[in-house]
Amino acid sequence: MTQSRLFDAETEVLAQGAVLLRGFALAEIKAVYDTIQQILATAPLRHLITPGGFRMSVAMTNCGQAGWVSDRRGYRYEAKDPRSGKPWPAMPASFASLSNRAAAAAGFPNHTPNVCLINHYQPGARLALHQDRDEGDFSAPIVSVSLGLPATFQFGGDQRNAKTRRYVLESGDVVVWGGPARLAFHGVAPLKDGVHPLTGRCRFNLTFRTAKNIT
Ligand code: MD6
Ligand code: FE
């Protein structure tokens, strides 16, 4: 484990530019969960289709100025939810605040995200190794907040074949990711079955992003 004296004991450095802030969101995680439920009432979770024609095992929705979507035409950010034809639910002020505070704690001050991707994992759901590169601007960090069942997060390098390390992300953990780590490959191993007091038999993950390429 790499520890930096710049950070407190709950902070683990994954790579230059990527830190895991253990428990950073724990005090507000119930409020975050309740806010997610409100968003889902307007923009329900759905399993997107990859450009290759596969149904993603993770279910997704978004809030903010745009949402990340995937279909046979590719990956992109869209200002409207394709399901409803209406704008995505607005970014709650409490979400922007959490993202700002976490980014600042990780050494990225003054970053306000315009998109929040909401991922929902049921047992067995996984996210294959990928880079987050549809934002069109890599100067802003990404802030990731975990809720519910623990997940094994895989973190590698800038090349797909670089060796990966595994980190267990628990409810309330926050990963911040930017600078030289912004394009690192990462993924989530199949979710192990279990029951969590906050979420039940699932995990949620929020990723706050700054997207410039919006269609
Ligand atoms: C997840 N997270 O933890 C998926 N991407 O469910 C991501 O894909 C991710 O956690 C970029 C930065 C942080 C992340
Ligand atoms: Fe990602």
Side-chain angles (χ1 to χ4, degrees):
M1 182 171 89
T2 314
Q3 285 280 0
S4 164
R5 292 194 299 141
L6 288 174
F7 300 115
D8 67 36
E10 302 307 315
T11 301
E12 184 164 354
V13 177
L14 310 193
Q16 208 186 342
V19 297
L20 165 49
L21 305 169
R22 287 213 171 82
F24 187 90
L26 206 47
E28 58 203 283
I29 208 68
K30 172 73 169 86
V32 172
Y33 180 75
D34 291 346
T35 303
I36 292 172
Q37 297 306 317
Q38 289 173 18
I39 292 165
L40 299 188
T42 307
L45 293 164
R46 76 291 307 260
H47 293 272
L48 299 173
I49 305 298
T50 66
F54 295 99
R55 174 187 189 265
M56 296 184 74
S57 60
V58 177
M60 299 183 177
T61 189
N62 299 272
C63 64
Q65 277 172 11
W68 185 85
V69 297
S70 174
D71 59 20
R72 292 306 296 233
R73 284 151 49 213
Y75 305 131
R76 62 200 173 273
Y77 283 93
E78 291 203 343
K80 291 179 177 170
D81 178 349
R83 253 186 80 136
S84 65
K86 293 196 230 154
W88 297 97
M91 175 83 71
S94 59
F95 276 20
S97 165
L98 172 57
S99 179
N100 273 250
R101 284 178 279 122
F108 300 99
N110 306 315
H111 276 289
T112 299
N114 64 349
V115 170
C116 176
L117 171 61
I118 300 171
N119 286 166
H120 179 251
Y121 295 73
Q122 289 183 312
R126 63 186 287 268
L127 204 54
L129 212 61
H130 67 280
Q131 292 171 297
D132 290 8
R133 54 183 315 151
D134 303 312
E135 292 73 27
D137 177 342
F138 308 127
S139 58
I142 295 179
V143 173
S144 153
V145 179
S146 293
L147 298 88
L149 288 176
T152 300
F153 189 60
Q154 303 158 317
F155 179 86
D158 282 354
Q159 304 294 320
R160 182 177 288 282
N161 60 8
K163 89 172 165 46
T164 59
R165 283 173 163 271
R166 292 171 148 72
Y167 301 88
V168 176
L169 300 184
E170 307 264 1
S171 196
D173 288 353
V174 177
V175 180
V176 184
W177 188 284
R182 180 60 182 75
L183 290 174
F185 277 89
H186 57 281
V188 179
L191 192 78
K192 283 192 202 136
D193 203 352
V195 179
H196 190 276
L198 177 64
T199 60
R201 212 175 153 204
C202 68
R203 168 182 187 249
F204 282 95
N205 176 264
L206 307 178
T207 47
F208 294 96
R209 298 128 185 269
T210 302
K212 294 282 158 66
N213 270 344
I214 299 174
T215 58

